[in-house]
Amino acid sequence: MPAGKIEVRPQAIARVAACAAVRVEGVVGLVRRLPVEVTVPVLAEEHVYHGAEARVRNDHVSVDVYVVLRYGAPLAEIAQRVETEVRAAIERALGPLETTVHVRIQGVR
């Protein structure tokens, strides 16, 4: 008898990524990806997953997280922590997968 198959929608992975990202100290919040530079409000908690996008190909997960960081904070360090936390959260949720995380700093406040 063949084994079953589990499929996880990219939106579910994006939600895991977004929840992990907003828990990192120095992250003010997430914003939607925009094609041009404009000021947008930080997403409310119930819509935070719109600030992350995930793609799945074979056994590879690629995630973009669009963050607003706290003014005066060490941006590179916070972005690195976001990347680490998002990757760890995805691996806890899905198991060991090749995961690429891109942290897109959209602004500081």
Side-chain angles (χ1 to χ4, degrees):
M1 177 177 227
K5 182 177 180 181
I6 297 173
E7 293 184 15
V8 180
R9 291 182 55 140
Q11 294 87 343
I13 297 169
R15 186 176 293 264
V16 169
C19 289
V22 297
R23 287 194 302 261
V24 173
E25 186 177 338
V27 173
V28 173
L30 275 60
V31 295
R32 293 179 185 265
R33 177 177 59 109
L34 298 171
V36 294
E37 275 192 47
V38 296
T39 302
V40 294
V42 172
L43 294 166
E45 186 175 333
E46 62 270 13
H47 299 293
V48 72
Y49 63 93
H50 291 298
E53 296 176 351
R55 291 161 303 289
V56 180
R57 289 206 177 112
N58 301 322
D59 288 335
H60 183 265
V61 175
S62 179
V63 178
D64 292 305
V65 182
Y66 301 92
V67 297
V68 174
L69 302 182
R70 187 179 69 236
Y71 177 78
L75 303 182
E77 289 178 28
I78 295 171
Q80 181 63 48
R81 278 186 270 160
V82 169
E83 180 183 348
T84 300
E85 290 300 316
V86 167
R87 182 176 288 111
I90 290 170
E91 289 179 359
R92 279 192 304 275
L94 301 176
L97 291 172
E98 184 180 344
T99 305
T100 304
V101 178
H102 301 280
V103 179
R104 312 291 186 185
I105 301 172
Q106 300 296 101
V108 292
R109 289 197 184 150

